[in-house]
Amino acid sequence: MNIPNILTTIRFFLVPTFIYVFYTPSIENNVLIATFVFILAGITDVLDGYIARTYNMVTKWGIALDPLADKLMQLTVLICFTDKGYLPVWVILVVGVKELLMIAGALFLYYFVDRTVIPSNRYGKAATVFFYVAILVIAIDISPIINYFFVLLAVTTTVIAFINYLIGFKEINENSCENKNVDK
């Protein structure tokens, strides 16, 4: 197991850590500390990707489990923040539907279109950054208007990223169908 895979594994352990801290009222500033656990998970995500690409440590294990760890952490944060009333239900519906459709699309491309993977792009990365910022702003609780603005910004960039991924999915699927017809 290499360093990027160890960082991905740490992210899996940070999920129950986040939940424990978030729901333990005896921990002073538990929501803020849980948010820092979430940010730590984000840092490990950036580090593992950077190290894997820079030092040619990309593995099949990492390719499969890295996005799973990310989605698991993000959905956990969404569920917890929605459960406690920090986020409106519509946020988890929009982001949840997007994530489920992306997982379904990724599985389809991987298993039915020559093991194809749509790589992350700047829209998806921007959406992730805005999601982290929105969660931090909510945890700090500057004002309801600022909280709502950042949540709206995170959801909007998530929808834009999803549309961009749909365009990529459609292009890859069409190219695959054309290549199969040419092979016949």
Side-chain angles (χ1 to χ4, degrees), residues 4 12 33 66 90 156 160 164:
F12 280 106
I33 293 170
D66 177 70
W90 66 265
T156 301
I160 291 168
N164 190 270

Side-chain angles (χ1 to χ4, degrees), residues 1 3 26 33-34 69 79 89 103 115 119 126 137-138 145 149 155 163 165 181 183:
M1 182 171 287
I3 292 171
S26 62
I33 293 170
I79 290 166
V89 173
I103 290 167
R115 303 238 186 267
V137 167
I138 290 168
I145 292 171
F149 170 77
V155 171
I163 291 167
Y165 282 117
N181 288 336
D183 292 340

Side-chain angles (χ1 to χ4, degrees), residues 141-173:
D141 194 24
I142 298 170
S143 87
I145 292 171
I146 292 174
N147 294 357
Y148 188 76
F149 170 77
F150 278 100
V151 168
L152 199 56
L153 185 60
V155 171
T156 301
T157 55
T158 296
V159 170
I160 291 168
F162 180 62
I163 291 167
N164 190 270
Y165 282 117
L166 281 177
I167 292 167
F169 174 85
K170 183 179 180 233
E171 288 173 358
I172 289 171
N173 196 32

Side-chain angles (χ1 to χ4, degrees), residues 5 9 13 25 36 40 43-44 47 60 63 66 75 80 90 144 149 165 175 179 181:
N5 291 346
T9 303
F13 287 109
F36 288 128
L40 177 61
I43 291 168
T44 65
L47 280 176
K60 289 181 182 180
I63 290 170
D66 177 70
L75 289 174
C80 291
W90 66 265
F149 170 77
Y165 282 117
N175 289 340
N179 290 340
N181 288 336

Side-chain angles (χ1 to χ4, degrees), residues 20-37:
Y20 174 77
V21 172
F22 188 86
Y23 284 109
T24 303
S26 62
I27 298 175
E28 193 173 331
N29 297 316
N30 62 322
V31 173
L32 186 58
I33 293 170
T35 300
F36 288 128
V37 170

Side-chain angles (χ1 to χ4, degrees), residues 6-184:
I6 291 169
L7 291 169
T8 297
T9 303
I10 289 170
R11 254 195 334 284
F12 280 106
F13 287 109
L14 288 174
V15 171
T17 303
F18 173 88
I19 294 168
Y20 174 77
V21 172
F22 188 86
Y23 284 109
T24 303
S26 62
I27 298 175
E28 193 173 331
N29 297 316
N30 62 322
V31 173
L32 186 58
I33 293 170
T35 300
F36 288 128
V37 170
F38 174 54
I39 290 170
L40 177 61
I43 291 168
T44 65
D45 182 30
V46 170
L47 280 176
D48 84 49
Y50 174 78
I51 293 168
R53 285 186 295 279
T54 302
Y55 298 101
N56 197 24
M57 295 180 164
V58 176
T59 64
K60 289 181 182 180
W61 191 91
I63 290 170
L65 292 182
D66 177 70
L68 180 60
D70 299 341
K71 304 242 182 277
L72 185 60
M73 178 55 93
Q74 287 185 350
L75 289 174
T76 298
V77 170
L78 278 171
I79 290 166
C80 291
F81 271 68
T82 303
D83 177 55
K84 288 291 188 174
Y86 294 113
L87 285 172
V89 173
W90 66 265
V91 172
I92 198 167
L93 291 174
V94 170
V95 176
V97 166
K98 175 248 183 198
E99 292 299 339
L100 290 173
L101 289 173
M102 284 192 62
I103 290 167
L107 289 171
F108 175 81
L109 286 175
Y110 188 79
Y111 288 108
F112 298 108
V113 185
D114 301 324
R115 303 238 186 267
T116 301
V117 176
I118 297 178
S120 62
N121 59 46
R122 64 182 176 194
Y123 300 106
K125 290 177 183 190
T128 300
V129 168
F130 285 129
F131 180 71
Y132 276 82
V133 170
I135 295 302
L136 181 60
V137 167
I138 290 168
I140 294 171
D141 194 24
I142 298 170
S143 87
I145 292 171
I146 292 174
N147 294 357
Y148 188 76
F149 170 77
F150 278 100
V151 168
L152 199 56
L153 185 60
V155 171
T156 301
T157 55
T158 296
V159 170
I160 291 168
F162 180 62
I163 291 167
N164 190 270
Y165 282 117
L166 281 177
I167 292 167
F169 174 85
K170 183 179 180 233
E171 288 173 358
I172 289 171
N173 196 32
E174 286 174 353
N175 289 340
S176 174
C177 289
E178 288 173 10
N179 290 340
K180 286 181 181 177
N181 288 336
V182 170
D183 292 340
K184 289 182 180 181

